Amino acid sequence: MATPTMDKLEALEADSASSHLIAVTFRIRRFNPEVSADASWEDFRIDIDPKERVLDALHKIKWDVDGTLTFRRSCAHGICGSDAMRINGRNRLACKTLIKDIVSFDKSGAVSKPVTIEAIKGLTVLKDLIVDMDPFFQAYRDVMPFLVTTGNEPTRERLQSAEDRERFDDTTKCILCAACTSSCPVFWNDGQYFGPAAIVNAHRFIFDSRDEAGEQRLEILNDKDGVWRCRTTFNCTDACPRGIEVTKAIQEVKRALITRRF
Amino acid sequence: MKIHKYDTVIVGAGGAGMRAAIESTKRSRTAVLTKLYPTRSHTGAAQGGMAAALANVEEDNWEWHTFDTIKGGDYLVDQDAAEILAKEAIDAVLDLEKMGLPFNRTPDGAIDQRRFGGHSRNHGEAPVRRSCYAADRTGHMILQTLYQNCVKEGVEFFNEFYVLDQLLTEVDGVKVSAGVVAYELATGEIHVFQAKAVIYASGGTGKFFKVTSNAHTLTGDGQAACYRRGLPLEDMEFFQFHPTGIWRMGILLTEGARGEGGILRNKDGERFMEKYAPVMKDLASRDVVSRSIYTEIREGRGCGPEGDHVYLDLTHLPPEQLDAKLPDITEFARTYLGIEPYTDPIPIQPTAHYAMGGIPTNVQGEVLADNTTVVPGLYAAGEVACVSVHGANRLGTNSLLDINVFGRRSGIAAAEYAAKHDYVELPEDPASLVEAQVERLRNSTGKERVATLRLELQECMDANVMVFRTEQTIKTAVAKIAELRERYLNVSVQDKGKRFNTDLLEAIELGNLLDLAEVMATSALARKESRGGHYREDYPNRDDVNFMRHTMAYREVGDDGTESIRLDYKPVVQTRYQPMERKY
Ligand SMILES: Cc1cc2nc3c(=O)[nH]c(=O)nc-3n(C[C@H](O)[C@H](O)[C@H](O)COP(=O)(O)OP(=O)(O)OC[C@H]3O[C@@H](n4cnc5c(N)ncnc54)[C@H](O)[C@@H]3O)c2cc1C
Ligand code: SF4
Ligand code: FES
């Protein structure tokens, strides 16, 4: 451990110890059909440490101000996929987005604009930030998202070279958060489109050297609601909290459909 | 109220629940009730790996694994169960590979293995490579693979259904499981599931601590539902504090980081674990490392302005190795701390991690009503259960193993039981308890707030029943919990609606945490010794004469309605290994 890094760490830690709060307005899209048929924006102004997560801010509002504010969450560190939402117009996980990264300051040092938060698009909103995830999971189930093999099971593990394992590594990271699918303009216009997440999960098996149902999955994705609908807008790749190269995976599936090699 | 009928009902869709479901769906008509979408379960957060003596990279065998598990658990482990765990580990890993799990591979294409705390060759000689892994997202891959196979098998899920009560019916003087009562999040409707067999796989209870690696949803609902119906909870005083949580946040940084060569350092840059565990050093078992960290902090060698943490140093490892083996946790450091682990050490502190105790079961997953009698038709597996394979301290990588081995066993046993038995009659007015609970909370005009009580509970638990405990701190906790339980009666919720009322469910979850915290503190107070994760400064030694036994805690209700906890004890099963002093 070199000294310069220690200095930097000390600064970071001193900063953390003296946590300073800033006042931020969260403008949240509310909807509760038990109360009103229409959705509306509601502002909440709270003091919060800029190093905290947007999820922490939502909790602060729910716990201290308005218990009816409703959202899904569980792990709080970007691994369970519960809390994809539109934050300042971009799909993100609330638990993986720090306040300091989404607020801007005016000359006086005050936060200049409200942070907007709304449900992800393209799926029916059921209450506040909660959407109906069933169509999303249905598309996932439709691509046969499981290993298919024939013949006798080996007694030990199937062998797979490190290179073959690497081939589909990226798409194994998916947490099914729907940030990609619900950022896709094609999906907004036509909910029948499988959407990027389902294609990512098909990719994960098509390019797994142990799997034997690649052809079948490709046929499913050759459908009119399949990969050819993708217009390569890269919204999905930008949205993915796991850093998966979603568009690249879709392109690889398209190429496999043409060459029939995978 | 709706009534459903299934052969087998599984509560929870984490690793244990889905592993059980894959077996029971093949054999019986099964419903899985889960408060989260299955892939949101906290099994997905597990990073480091799953233990099995595959011996793919060096000599190893299940006997060594059994021994390490027993020693790691400070001899409170039931040795027959540990032997099953270690033996069946090998097939458990191979089964997952065959289901499609993308393990990291050796140069020959076999499943790769790495070191993990407490796992050794030949009874403690040196660390051994026993953990099978998929980068640092092994739990994610297990959860995904099991869900994929549930889709393949057509497992029937009821997503966002919260099980809040366990139904028991007396048949010839014996309590038999009749089903469960669940609350549907989307509609607020209450459902009764009548079932021949019920399996609890609802996970841990870490949210009664503040600094924890556990998800917001880990509130011990399954433990509480059984406990309230008079069933015992075993060894609840044993909770594991993982040495390396991100400072103040508690987000876990896997022990695999130390398995890959990471080193713990104090403010002087000293590798302090050399003093406390000369052989295993940074890879000594978790309770030992967590206590060492706090000893450094207490003796003034902690880091930062408040001296309240130490460093996990990965800076000497090549960036390629960090990218390939530890991509997620290095990203956590960047995202949440703004630290670059290639060049900067990461501030860490112990974090509340794993409940060793839980619903007592035998090795078939059958729930015990006392030291010997089973509750017919009732099963439990995974973190909610206590078999006990982890004893006083769980070894890293043994829980992903536990959920697979005992998830599978309980799935088979429950389905076979369902095939041989008929439904027992539901108790009269089966939903009454849940209905009353929900109505009371919805209509309450009390002044207490859920968030306030929960925070006070968490701060009290962190301060008083964490890594170091004394009679005085535990008594402080017991008194505080009693006060909070009293105030809980005046809790009200703001959301009075039926639709996705998470406000209401957080209130119910808090009630569960309060009950379980009370059991934990009461059990800890009575255990006047130090063993594994339970460390009493006033009784620093293990006391095999008086305490080589499992705690069994029962809820008692007096004639006047007053509640109390009765503690009883259950012998430890010892087969081959005589208790020895634990040194690493
Ligand atoms: C950050 C972290 C890292 C870890 N790393 C490792 C590791 O590397 N190796 C290892 O062996 N172990 C590890 N562990 C421990 C291990 O991951 C867990 O103990 C294990 O995954 C628990 O699995 P489970 O199936 O019992 O519970 P969970 O996966 O927590 O699932 C619980 C399920 O129960 C459901 N549920 C809960 N309450 C209710 C209710 N009231 N009604 C209906 N459903 C309900 C939930 O929806 C969920 O589906 C780690 C733990 C954490 C927190
Ligand atoms: S590909 Fe990325 S954005 Fe899409 S569902 Fe998976 S993790 Fe979420
Ligand atoms: S809460 Fe789990 S991903 Fe955000």
Side-chain angles (χ1 to χ4, degrees), chain B residues 96 99-102 140-150:
Chain B
L96 285 171
M99 288 186 207
L101 198 140
H140 165 76
M141 293 313 342
I142 289 178
L143 191 70
Q144 295 290 326
T145 302
L146 292 174
Y147 183 59
Q148 290 154 4
N149 281 271
C150 285

Side-chain angles (χ1 to χ4, degrees), chain A residues 1-2 4-6 8-10 12-19 31-34 51 53 55-56 59 61-83 95-98 100-101 125-127 130-134 136-137 140-141 144-149 153-162 165 168-170 172-178 201 204-205 208 210 241-243, chain B residues 36-37 39-42 44-45 47 54-56 90-91 94 96-111 134-135 137 140-141 144-145 147-149 151-152 159-160 185-186 213-218 247-249 251-252 265-269 303-306 309 311 313 315 327-328 331-332 335-340 343-347 449 451 454 494-503 506 509:
Chain A
M1 290 198 308
T5 57
M6 294 297 289
K8 187 170 138 201
L9 272 175
E10 268 158 32
L12 173 125
E13 286 163 17
D15 182 41
S16 301
S18 69
S19 63
F31 172 64
N32 182 0
E34 279 186 307
K51 287 183 302 299
R53 299 159 271 205
L55 180 62
D56 298 317
H59 273 147
I61 295 167
K62 183 176 182 68
W63 292 344
D64 301 343
V65 186
D66 183 352
T68 67
L69 180 67
T70 306
F71 47 92
R72 293 190 175 105
R73 51 69 173 136
S74 183
C75 73
H77 65 286
I79 207 69
C80 76
S82 294
D83 59 344
C95 66
K96 234 188 151 175
T97 307
L98 302 193
K100 69 180 172 56
D101 296 328
V125 179
L126 300 174
K127 183 176 174 186
I130 293 189
V131 299
D132 179 7
M133 291 293 284
D134 284 349
F136 173 83
F137 278 102
Y140 165 82
R141 285 193 293 268
M144 304 170 64
F146 39 78
L147 191 77
V148 177
T149 58
E153 292 258 294
T155 46
R156 290 288 295 195
E157 68 262 48
R158 292 193 174 76
L159 298 182
Q160 181 169 54
S161 72
R165 164 69 181 78
F168 62 101
D169 187 63
D170 202 32
T172 65
K173 295 177 191 155
C174 177
I175 54 173
L176 297 168
C177 69
N201 283 281
R204 180 250 169 272
F205 288 99
D208 186 333
R210 300 168 298 176
R242 300 287 291 146
Chain B
L36 303 171
Y37 275 84
T39 57
R40 314 292 183 225
S41 305
H42 212 53
Q47 304 165 354
L54 297 183
N56 277 2
I90 296 167
D91 276 336
L94 296 178
L96 285 171
E97 197 284 329
K98 288 169 196 167
M99 288 186 207
L101 198 140
F103 284 108
N104 277 46
R105 300 286 171 159
T106 66
D108 314 329
I111 295 169
R137 52 175 191 282
H140 165 76
M141 293 313 342
Q144 295 290 326
T145 302
Y147 183 59
Q148 290 154 4
N149 281 271
V151 171
K152 192 174 181 176
N159 295 326
E160 302 190 320
L185 182 65
S213 64
N214 281 200
H216 286 287
T217 47
L218 289 174
W247 175 44
R248 289 192 175 158
M249 301 184 85
I251 297 172
L252 193 80
R265 298 189 189 278
N266 61 20
K267 75 165 196 228
D268 305 318
C303 307
E306 288 170 31
H309 57 276
Y311 291 132
D313 183 7
T315 58
D328 278 5
E331 162 133 344
F332 294 155
T335 304
Y336 296 110
L337 291 168
I339 275 187
E340 177 45 69
T343 51
D344 302 328
I346 309 168
R449 305 216 41 163
R454 184 174 47 212
Q494 281 175 296
D495 195 336
K496 310 286 184 195
K498 296 229 156 197
R499 200 178 171 85
F500 290 95
N501 192 340
T502 53
D503 202 23
E506 282 191 38
E509 290 171 335

Side-chain angles (χ1 to χ4, degrees), chain B residues 13 15-16 34-36 41 43 48-49 163 202 221 353-354 383 397 399-400:
Chain B
T34 171
K35 75 176 182 183
L36 303 171
S41 305
T43 291
V163 170
S202 48
D221 304 355
H353 186 56
Y354 183 86
E383 195 168 333
T397 68
S399 173
L400 291 179

Side-chain angles (χ1 to χ4, degrees), chain B residues 449-494:
Chain B
R449 305 216 41 163
V450 170
T452 313
L453 297 196
R454 184 174 47 212
L455 186 63
E456 285 185 33
L457 171 68
Q458 292 169 335
E459 287 179 343
C460 157
M461 296 293 279
D462 277 16
N464 295 302
V465 283
M466 235 187 137
V467 173
F468 291 109
R469 303 168 174 178
T470 65
E471 172 146 343
Q472 200 203 334
T473 65
I474 302 171
K475 279 189 168 157
T476 307
V478 169
K480 178 73 188 179
I481 296 164
E483 173 211 312
L484 292 170
R485 280 167 58 90
E486 199 57 41
R487 287 165 59 192
Y488 180 73
L489 299 174
N490 286 316
V491 141
S492 65
V493 296
Q494 281 175 296

Side-chain angles (χ1 to χ4, degrees), chain A residues 46-250:
Chain A
I46 57 166
D47 292 329
I48 190 157
D49 181 338
K51 287 183 302 299
E52 288 197 79
R53 299 159 271 205
V54 171
L55 180 62
D56 298 317
L58 291 173
H59 273 147
K60 253 194 162 99
I61 295 167
K62 183 176 182 68
W63 292 344
D64 301 343
V65 186
D66 183 352
T68 67
L69 180 67
T70 306
F71 47 92
R72 293 190 175 105
R73 51 69 173 136
S74 183
C75 73
H77 65 286
I79 207 69
C80 76
S82 294
D83 59 344
M85 51 189 76
R86 270 166 85 79
I87 302 173
N88 284 344
R90 256 194 69 186
N91 279 4
R92 295 161 169 275
L93 296 178
C95 66
K96 234 188 151 175
T97 307
L98 302 193
I99 306 290
K100 69 180 172 56
D101 296 328
I102 49 156
V103 292
S104 40
F105 298 91
D106 61 20
K107 284 201 204 77
S108 71
V111 175
S112 52
K113 274 196 308 227
V115 171
T116 63
I117 300 182
E118 56 198 304
I120 48 177
K121 281 171 70 170
L123 295 159
T124 310
V125 179
L126 300 174
K127 183 176 174 186
D128 292 346
L129 304 174
I130 293 189
V131 299
D132 179 7
M133 291 293 284
D134 284 349
F136 173 83
F137 278 102
Q138 188 56 51
Y140 165 82
R141 285 193 293 268
D142 285 345
V143 300
M144 304 170 64
F146 39 78
L147 191 77
V148 177
T149 58
T150 53
N152 290 337
E153 292 258 294
T155 46
R156 290 288 295 195
E157 68 262 48
R158 292 193 174 76
L159 298 182
Q160 181 169 54
S161 72
E163 298 77 62
D164 283 345
R165 164 69 181 78
E166 188 55 29
R167 183 69 190 84
F168 62 101
D169 187 63
D170 202 32
T171 46
T172 65
K173 295 177 191 155
C174 177
I175 54 173
L176 297 168
C177 69
C180 55
T181 298
S182 64
S183 71
C184 173
V186 180
F187 181 76
W188 296 339
N189 288 330
D190 178 4
Q192 292 304 307
Y193 170 44
F194 275 97
I199 303 173
V200 160
N201 283 281
H203 177 284
R204 180 250 169 272
F205 288 99
I206 293 170
F207 293 95
D208 186 333
S209 59
R210 300 168 298 176
D211 183 76
E212 298 174 32
E215 285 288 350
Q216 268 166 279
R217 280 188 209 95
L218 285 173
E219 268 329 304
I220 294 170
L221 293 174
N222 205 9
D223 185 85
K224 67 174 173 33
D225 295 319
V227 279
W228 305 112
R229 301 291 299 276
C230 166
R231 295 203 307 260
T232 331
T233 51
F234 281 94
N235 283 21
C236 50
T237 305
D238 292 342
C240 179
R242 300 287 291 146
I244 298 171
E245 294 184 273
V246 182
T247 314
K248 184 174 163 213
I250 298 175

Side-chain angles (χ1 to χ4, degrees), chain B residues 86 173 244 284 296 345 491 508 522:
Chain B
T244 54
E296 291 295 301
V491 141
I508 292 175
T522 306

